[in-house]
Amino acid sequence: MAMEKDPTASFYSENAVAYAESSAPNTRRLDSFLSKLVPGAAILELGCGSGRDSAVMIARGFDATPTDGTPEMAQEASKHLGRPVDVLRFGDIDAVSAFDGVWANACLLHAPRAELGGILGRIHESLRPGGVFYASFKAGEAEGHDGLGRYYNYPSKAWLRAAYEAFAWTSVDIDEVQGSGYDKKPTDWLHVLAVKA
């Protein structure tokens, strides 16, 4: 039986090409993340979208594994990167001590609040000790949907810190900045950089 697609998945399925073409790299954050890893480090990218960040990692000699939860987005990334891109939903991450880094730019913000703790646990388990994990979230006080119908977990800084602190990290840095997104609306972003203990 085919599963009904939720509105967020439907948005990325139906807009995969336009979204892939519109996305600009988060160069400063990506540079900072990569600077904390050794050359050739193994990196899992979640929600890779167009594959633009993985393209940078690969060009710089990192062993990047791009993935996306939407088949149509994975296909766009595969075209862009010239290599297969696996479809991986956050709840299906099952690697153990396999990666030196996990890059999750503007994707975990779509994970239901009730599931986010379990997903953070899976990511934590997938990292080797000392592994670096970057993720970004749209800040807020309560989960909800944007004008395009996409679900967001909209955490506060305190809520997000508590979710992370259920796991063993040597550091969890949360940076709050104002910016925008695909919908061009003013957005408060939370950028999290955590290092596994």
PDB file of all heavy atoms in Angstrom, residues 170-192:
ATOM      1  N   THR A 170      31.024  16.639  23.729  1.00  0.00           N
ATOM      2  CA  THR A 170      32.018  17.435  24.462  1.00  0.00           C
ATOM      3  C   THR A 170      31.636  18.910  24.389  1.00  0.00           C
ATOM      4  O   THR A 170      31.982  19.697  25.254  1.00  0.00           O
ATOM      5  CB  THR A 170      33.445  17.248  23.910  1.00  0.00           C
ATOM      6  OG1 THR A 170      33.433  17.547  22.516  1.00  0.00           O
ATOM      7  CG2 THR A 170      33.942  15.843  24.118  1.00  0.00           C
ATOM      8  N   SER A 171      30.899  19.280  23.334  1.00  0.00           N
ATOM      9  CA  SER A 171      30.427  20.666  23.225  1.00  0.00           C
ATOM     10  C   SER A 171      29.194  20.711  22.343  1.00  0.00           C
ATOM     11  O   SER A 171      29.047  19.911  21.412  1.00  0.00           O
ATOM     12  CB  SER A 171      31.517  21.572  22.636  1.00  0.00           C
ATOM     13  OG  SER A 171      31.834  21.159  21.323  1.00  0.00           O
ATOM     14  N   VAL A 172      28.298  21.656  22.666  1.00  0.00           N
ATOM     15  CA  VAL A 172      27.124  21.951  21.835  1.00  0.00           C
ATOM     16  C   VAL A 172      27.040  23.473  21.750  1.00  0.00           C
ATOM     17  O   VAL A 172      26.704  24.139  22.726  1.00  0.00           O
ATOM     18  CB  VAL A 172      25.817  21.389  22.441  1.00  0.00           C
ATOM     19  CG1 VAL A 172      24.619  21.796  21.576  1.00  0.00           C
ATOM     20  CG2 VAL A 172      25.870  19.875  22.585  1.00  0.00           C
ATOM     21  N   ASP A 173      27.409  24.021  20.591  1.00  0.00           N
ATOM     22  CA  ASP A 173      27.359  25.474  20.397  1.00  0.00           C
ATOM     23  C   ASP A 173      26.142  25.818  19.548  1.00  0.00           C
ATOM     24  O   ASP A 173      25.980  25.269  18.452  1.00  0.00           O
ATOM     25  CB  ASP A 173      28.629  25.966  19.695  1.00  0.00           C
ATOM     26  CG  ASP A 173      29.862  25.768  20.569  1.00  0.00           C
ATOM     27  OD1 ASP A 173      29.780  26.063  21.775  1.00  0.00           O
ATOM     28  OD2 ASP A 173      30.883  25.297  20.044  1.00  0.00           O
ATOM     29  N   ILE A 174      25.292  26.718  20.044  1.00  0.00           N
ATOM     30  CA  ILE A 174      24.106  27.131  19.299  1.00  0.00           C
ATOM     31  C   ILE A 174      24.206  28.631  19.024  1.00  0.00           C
ATOM     32  O   ILE A 174      24.265  29.435  19.945  1.00  0.00           O
ATOM     33  CB  ILE A 174      22.805  26.808  20.063  1.00  0.00           C
ATOM     34  CG1 ILE A 174      22.732  25.304  20.397  1.00  0.00           C
ATOM     35  CG2 ILE A 174      21.592  27.234  19.229  1.00  0.00           C
ATOM     36  CD1 ILE A 174      21.488  24.888  21.176  1.00  0.00           C
ATOM     37  N   ASP A 175      24.250  28.956  17.743  1.00  0.00           N
ATOM     38  CA  ASP A 175      24.422  30.319  17.282  1.00  0.00           C
ATOM     39  C   ASP A 175      23.084  30.819  16.729  1.00  0.00           C
ATOM     40  O   ASP A 175      22.492  30.158  15.884  1.00  0.00           O
ATOM     41  CB  ASP A 175      25.500  30.279  16.177  1.00  0.00           C
ATOM     42  CG  ASP A 175      25.928  31.645  15.723  1.00  0.00           C
ATOM     43  OD1 ASP A 175      25.682  32.614  16.442  1.00  0.00           O
ATOM     44  OD2 ASP A 175      26.520  31.727  14.621  1.00  0.00           O
ATOM     45  N   GLU A 176      22.592  31.943  17.248  1.00  0.00           N
ATOM     46  CA  GLU A 176      21.323  32.508  16.767  1.00  0.00           C
ATOM     47  C   GLU A 176      21.608  33.640  15.794  1.00  0.00           C
ATOM     48  O   GLU A 176      22.334  34.570  16.135  1.00  0.00           O
ATOM     49  CB  GLU A 176      20.530  33.088  17.942  1.00  0.00           C
ATOM     50  CG  GLU A 176      19.870  32.055  18.821  1.00  0.00           C
ATOM     51  CD  GLU A 176      19.072  32.728  19.941  1.00  0.00           C
ATOM     52  OE1 GLU A 176      19.688  33.068  20.967  1.00  0.00           O
ATOM     53  OE2 GLU A 176      17.859  32.901  19.769  1.00  0.00           O
ATOM     54  N   VAL A 177      21.052  33.563  14.588  1.00  0.00           N
ATOM     55  CA  VAL A 177      21.239  34.639  13.608  1.00  0.00           C
ATOM     56  C   VAL A 177      19.944  34.899  12.860  1.00  0.00           C
ATOM     57  O   VAL A 177      19.101  34.014  12.739  1.00  0.00           O
ATOM     58  CB  VAL A 177      22.351  34.331  12.571  1.00  0.00           C
ATOM     59  CG1 VAL A 177      23.710  34.250  13.210  1.00  0.00           C
ATOM     60  CG2 VAL A 177      22.050  33.081  11.791  1.00  0.00           C
ATOM     61  N   GLN A 178      19.811  36.117  12.355  1.00  0.00           N
ATOM     62  CA  GLN A 178      18.658  36.443  11.517  1.00  0.00           C
ATOM     63  C   GLN A 178      19.038  36.243  10.069  1.00  0.00           C
ATOM     64  O   GLN A 178      20.161  36.524   9.661  1.00  0.00           O
ATOM     65  CB  GLN A 178      18.218  37.876  11.766  1.00  0.00           C
ATOM     66  CG  GLN A 178      17.547  38.036  13.125  1.00  0.00           C
ATOM     67  CD  GLN A 178      16.928  39.407  13.282  1.00  0.00           C
ATOM     68  OE1 GLN A 178      17.600  40.403  13.073  1.00  0.00           O
ATOM     69  NE2 GLN A 178      15.665  39.448  13.651  1.00  0.00           N
ATOM     70  N   GLY A 179      18.091  35.719   9.308  1.00  0.00           N
ATOM     71  CA  GLY A 179      18.346  35.491   7.890  1.00  0.00           C
ATOM     72  C   GLY A 179      17.040  35.312   7.151  1.00  0.00           C
ATOM     73  O   GLY A 179      16.024  35.904   7.512  1.00  0.00           O
ATOM     74  N   SER A 180      17.069  34.467   6.122  1.00  0.00           N
ATOM     75  CA  SER A 180      15.892  34.206   5.315  1.00  0.00           C
ATOM     76  C   SER A 180      15.941  32.756   4.864  1.00  0.00           C
ATOM     77  O   SER A 180      16.819  32.002   5.269  1.00  0.00           O
ATOM     78  CB  SER A 180      15.867  35.170   4.122  1.00  0.00           C
ATOM     79  OG  SER A 180      14.647  35.025   3.421  1.00  0.00           O
ATOM     80  N   GLY A 181      15.001  32.366   4.008  1.00  0.00           N
ATOM     81  CA  GLY A 181      14.961  31.000   3.496  1.00  0.00           C
ATOM     82  C   GLY A 181      14.388  30.990   2.095  1.00  0.00           C
ATOM     83  O   GLY A 181      14.279  32.027   1.433  1.00  0.00           O
ATOM     84  N   TYR A 182      13.973  29.815   1.643  1.00  0.00           N
ATOM     85  CA  TYR A 182      13.422  29.639   0.297  1.00  0.00           C
ATOM     86  C   TYR A 182      12.213  30.549   0.078  1.00  0.00           C
ATOM     87  O   TYR A 182      12.004  31.059  -1.017  1.00  0.00           O
ATOM     88  CB  TYR A 182      13.032  28.170   0.110  1.00  0.00           C
ATOM     89  CG  TYR A 182      12.471  27.833  -1.251  1.00  0.00           C
ATOM     90  CD1 TYR A 182      13.303  27.720  -2.368  1.00  0.00           C
ATOM     91  CD2 TYR A 182      11.109  27.608  -1.436  1.00  0.00           C
ATOM     92  CE1 TYR A 182      12.792  27.400  -3.618  1.00  0.00           C
ATOM     93  CE2 TYR A 182      10.583  27.289  -2.680  1.00  0.00           C
ATOM     94  CZ  TYR A 182      11.433  27.184  -3.767  1.00  0.00           C
ATOM     95  OH  TYR A 182      10.924  26.871  -5.007  1.00  0.00           O
ATOM     96  N   ASP A 183      11.422  30.773   1.151  1.00  0.00           N
ATOM     97  CA  ASP A 183      10.217  31.616   1.022  1.00  0.00           C
ATOM     98  C   ASP A 183      10.526  33.112   1.100  1.00  0.00           C
ATOM     99  O   ASP A 183       9.627  33.941   1.039  1.00  0.00           O
ATOM    100  CB  ASP A 183       9.176  31.229   2.081  1.00  0.00           C
ATOM    101  CG  ASP A 183       9.681  31.427   3.514  1.00  0.00           C
ATOM    102  OD1 ASP A 183      10.812  31.941   3.702  1.00  0.00           O
ATOM    103  OD2 ASP A 183       8.949  31.052   4.439  1.00  0.00           O
ATOM    104  N   LYS A 184      11.796  33.455   1.256  1.00  0.00           N
ATOM    105  CA  LYS A 184      12.279  34.847   1.283  1.00  0.00           C
ATOM    106  C   LYS A 184      11.768  35.648   2.484  1.00  0.00           C
ATOM    107  O   LYS A 184      11.866  36.859   2.517  1.00  0.00           O
ATOM    108  CB  LYS A 184      11.923  35.616  -0.011  1.00  0.00           C
ATOM    109  CG  LYS A 184      12.345  34.933  -1.294  1.00  0.00           C
ATOM    110  CD  LYS A 184      13.839  35.046  -1.525  1.00  0.00           C
ATOM    111  CE  LYS A 184      14.280  34.523  -2.873  1.00  0.00           C
ATOM    112  NZ  LYS A 184      14.735  33.143  -2.869  1.00  0.00           N
ATOM    113  N   LYS A 185      11.204  34.970   3.488  1.00  0.00           N
ATOM    114  CA  LYS A 185      10.674  35.681   4.661  1.00  0.00           C
ATOM    115  C   LYS A 185      11.773  35.822   5.714  1.00  0.00           C
ATOM    116  O   LYS A 185      12.645  34.953   5.823  1.00  0.00           O
ATOM    117  CB  LYS A 185       9.493  34.908   5.236  1.00  0.00           C
ATOM    118  CG  LYS A 185       8.311  34.848   4.264  1.00  0.00           C
ATOM    119  CD  LYS A 185       7.007  34.722   5.007  1.00  0.00           C
ATOM    120  CE  LYS A 185       5.847  35.043   4.087  1.00  0.00           C
ATOM    121  NZ  LYS A 185       5.144  33.891   3.600  1.00  0.00           N
ATOM    122  N   PRO A 186      11.741  36.906   6.525  1.00  0.00           N
ATOM    123  CA  PRO A 186      12.720  37.038   7.601  1.00  0.00           C
ATOM    124  C   PRO A 186      12.611  35.842   8.550  1.00  0.00           C
ATOM    125  O   PRO A 186      11.505  35.441   8.905  1.00  0.00           O
ATOM    126  CB  PRO A 186      12.332  38.330   8.316  1.00  0.00           C
ATOM    127  CG  PRO A 186      11.399  39.034   7.395  1.00  0.00           C
ATOM    128  CD  PRO A 186      10.781  38.000   6.508  1.00  0.00           C
ATOM    129  N   THR A 187      13.742  35.281   8.907  1.00  0.00           N
ATOM    130  CA  THR A 187      13.751  34.046   9.704  1.00  0.00           C
ATOM    131  C   THR A 187      14.839  34.121  10.761  1.00  0.00           C
ATOM    132  O   THR A 187      15.952  34.553  10.471  1.00  0.00           O
ATOM    133  CB  THR A 187      14.053  32.831   8.783  1.00  0.00           C
ATOM    134  OG1 THR A 187      13.095  32.809   7.718  1.00  0.00           O
ATOM    135  CG2 THR A 187      13.994  31.527   9.543  1.00  0.00           C
ATOM    136  N   ASP A 188      14.510  33.698  11.979  1.00  0.00           N
ATOM    137  CA  ASP A 188      15.523  33.540  13.019  1.00  0.00           C
ATOM    138  C   ASP A 188      16.042  32.103  12.920  1.00  0.00           C
ATOM    139  O   ASP A 188      15.267  31.150  13.036  1.00  0.00           O
ATOM    140  CB  ASP A 188      14.923  33.778  14.412  1.00  0.00           C
ATOM    141  CG  ASP A 188      14.560  35.242  14.616  1.00  0.00           C
ATOM    142  OD1 ASP A 188      15.255  36.101  14.050  1.00  0.00           O
ATOM    143  OD2 ASP A 188      13.573  35.511  15.329  1.00  0.00           O
ATOM    144  N   TRP A 189      17.337  31.961  12.712  1.00  0.00           N
ATOM    145  CA  TRP A 189      17.949  30.646  12.545  1.00  0.00           C
ATOM    146  C   TRP A 189      18.754  30.266  13.779  1.00  0.00           C
ATOM    147  O   TRP A 189      19.374  31.114  14.410  1.00  0.00           O
ATOM    148  CB  TRP A 189      18.897  30.646  11.338  1.00  0.00           C
ATOM    149  CG  TRP A 189      18.190  30.616  10.018  1.00  0.00           C
ATOM    150  CD1 TRP A 189      17.832  31.697   9.264  1.00  0.00           C
ATOM    151  CD2 TRP A 189      17.776  29.459   9.292  1.00  0.00           C
ATOM    152  NE1 TRP A 189      17.217  31.272   8.108  1.00  0.00           N
ATOM    153  CE2 TRP A 189      17.168  29.910   8.100  1.00  0.00           C
ATOM    154  CE3 TRP A 189      17.857  28.084   9.535  1.00  0.00           C
ATOM    155  CZ2 TRP A 189      16.643  29.032   7.145  1.00  0.00           C
ATOM    156  CZ3 TRP A 189      17.335  27.200   8.585  1.00  0.00           C
ATOM    157  CH2 TRP A 189      16.736  27.677   7.412  1.00  0.00           C
ATOM    158  N   LEU A 190      18.755  28.982  14.093  1.00  0.00           N
ATOM    159  CA  LEU A 190      19.621  28.410  15.129  1.00  0.00           C
ATOM    160  C   LEU A 190      20.589  27.467  14.426  1.00  0.00           C
ATOM    161  O   LEU A 190      20.166  26.511  13.777  1.00  0.00           O
ATOM    162  CB  LEU A 190      18.787  27.635  16.159  1.00  0.00           C
ATOM    163  CG  LEU A 190      17.762  28.444  16.948  1.00  0.00           C
ATOM    164  CD1 LEU A 190      16.866  27.516  17.759  1.00  0.00           C
ATOM    165  CD2 LEU A 190      18.441  29.450  17.869  1.00  0.00           C
ATOM    166  N   HIS A 191      21.870  27.766  14.516  1.00  0.00           N
ATOM    167  CA  HIS A 191      22.911  26.927  13.924  1.00  0.00           C
ATOM    168  C   HIS A 191      23.593  26.164  15.068  1.00  0.00           C
ATOM    169  O   HIS A 191      24.108  26.791  15.998  1.00  0.00           O
ATOM    170  CB  HIS A 191      23.950  27.775  13.187  1.00  0.00           C
ATOM    171  CG  HIS A 191      23.358  28.518  12.029  1.00  0.00           C
ATOM    172  ND1 HIS A 191      23.224  27.965  10.779  1.00  0.00           N
ATOM    173  CD2 HIS A 191      22.862  29.782  11.934  1.00  0.00           C
ATOM    174  CE1 HIS A 191      22.667  28.847   9.952  1.00  0.00           C
ATOM    175  NE2 HIS A 191      22.442  29.952  10.639  1.00  0.00           N
ATOM    176  N   VAL A 192      23.574  24.844  14.980  1.00  0.00           N
ATOM    177  CA  VAL A 192      24.117  24.018  16.064  1.00  0.00           C
ATOM    178  C   VAL A 192      25.333  23.263  15.579  1.00  0.00           C
ATOM    179  O   VAL A 192      25.307  22.594  14.532  1.00  0.00           O
ATOM    180  CB  VAL A 192      23.069  22.991  16.563  1.00  0.00           C
ATOM    181  CG1 VAL A 192      23.563  22.306  17.819  1.00  0.00           C
ATOM    182  CG2 VAL A 192      21.722  23.654  16.809  1.00  0.00           C
TER     183      VAL A 192
END
